[in-house]
Amino acid sequence: MTPDRIFKIANAIALPPWILMIVFPHWSYTKLVIDSYAFPILFAVIYTIFIGMSLGKSKGNFRSLEGVGSLFRNKNALLAGWLHYLAFDLLVGMYEWRDALANDMPQYLLIQALFFTLMFGPFGFLLYLGIRFI
C-alpha cells in the first residue's frame, strides 16, 4: 500500500476515538476504547514500519530546520511524521478526556479543548490547561 493511501486510512481511523470522547464521553464503550490504547498503539506500529522504511533514504538531519525539511521529502518519513502527530495528539486528548471526567469538567468546555487538540495539538492542550485552571 502506498504512503498516500495509508495517510487517508490513518486519518479516517483517527476520528472514531475523538468522536467518542466528544459526543459520548460517559458511554462505557468510550471508556473501553480509550482505556485500551488501541488507536495510539496502531499508529505507533505503523509509524515504526514507515520510519524503518525511511531510515537512511533521506539526506536530512535534525540539526537545522532545513535538515528536518529534507528528511520529510521522503514520503515514508513524511507519513511517519504524520502518524507521530496522530498518535501523540490522541494521547493528549485521551489525557484531557480522563482528567475532565475525573474533575467533573462541563462537557461544553471539554469539547472545545478536544477539538483544538485534534486540530492544533499543543494549542488545544494549553487551552485545556487554561480551562482547567479557571
Side-chain angles (χ1 to χ4, degrees):
M1 221 182 294
T2 68
D4 292 307
R5 181 78 176 133
I6 292 174
F7 173 83
K8 290 176 183 177
I9 293 169
N11 284 340
I13 290 171
L15 288 178
W18 288 101
I19 292 168
L20 288 171
M21 290 187 292
I22 290 169
V23 179
F24 304 108
H26 300 286
W27 190 25
S28 61
Y29 184 71
T30 302
K31 182 172 177 20
L32 178 69
V33 168
I34 300 307
D35 287 348
S36 75
Y37 288 92
F39 288 84
I41 290 169
L42 176 62
F43 293 137
V45 168
I46 300 168
Y47 166 86
T48 301
I49 291 166
F50 278 87
I51 204 71
M53 290 170 54
S54 67
L55 287 176
K57 296 187 177 153
S58 296
K59 293 184 179 184
N61 58 60
F62 291 108
R63 294 186 302 270
S64 68
L65 188 56
E66 186 176 324
V68 171
S70 293
L71 284 173
F72 289 119
R73 288 190 188 113
N74 176 301
K75 274 199 171 186
N76 289 334
L78 182 59
L79 177 60
W82 183 247
L83 292 163
H84 183 279
Y85 278 115
L86 291 178
F88 278 86
D89 286 354
L90 180 55
L91 286 167
V92 171
M94 291 163 62
Y95 162 79
E96 293 170 359
W97 175 80
R98 282 188 188 92
D99 188 68
L101 292 183
N103 291 291
D104 295 321
M105 179 183 285
Q107 182 63 13
Y108 73 93
L109 294 174
L110 176 60
I111 287 170
Q112 294 172 54
L114 287 174
F115 172 77
F116 283 106
T117 301
L118 170 62
M119 299 306 294
F120 304 108
F123 170 74
F125 181 60
L126 284 176
L127 177 64
Y128 177 78
L129 292 176
I131 291 168
R132 191 168 186 283
F133 179 74
I134 293 170

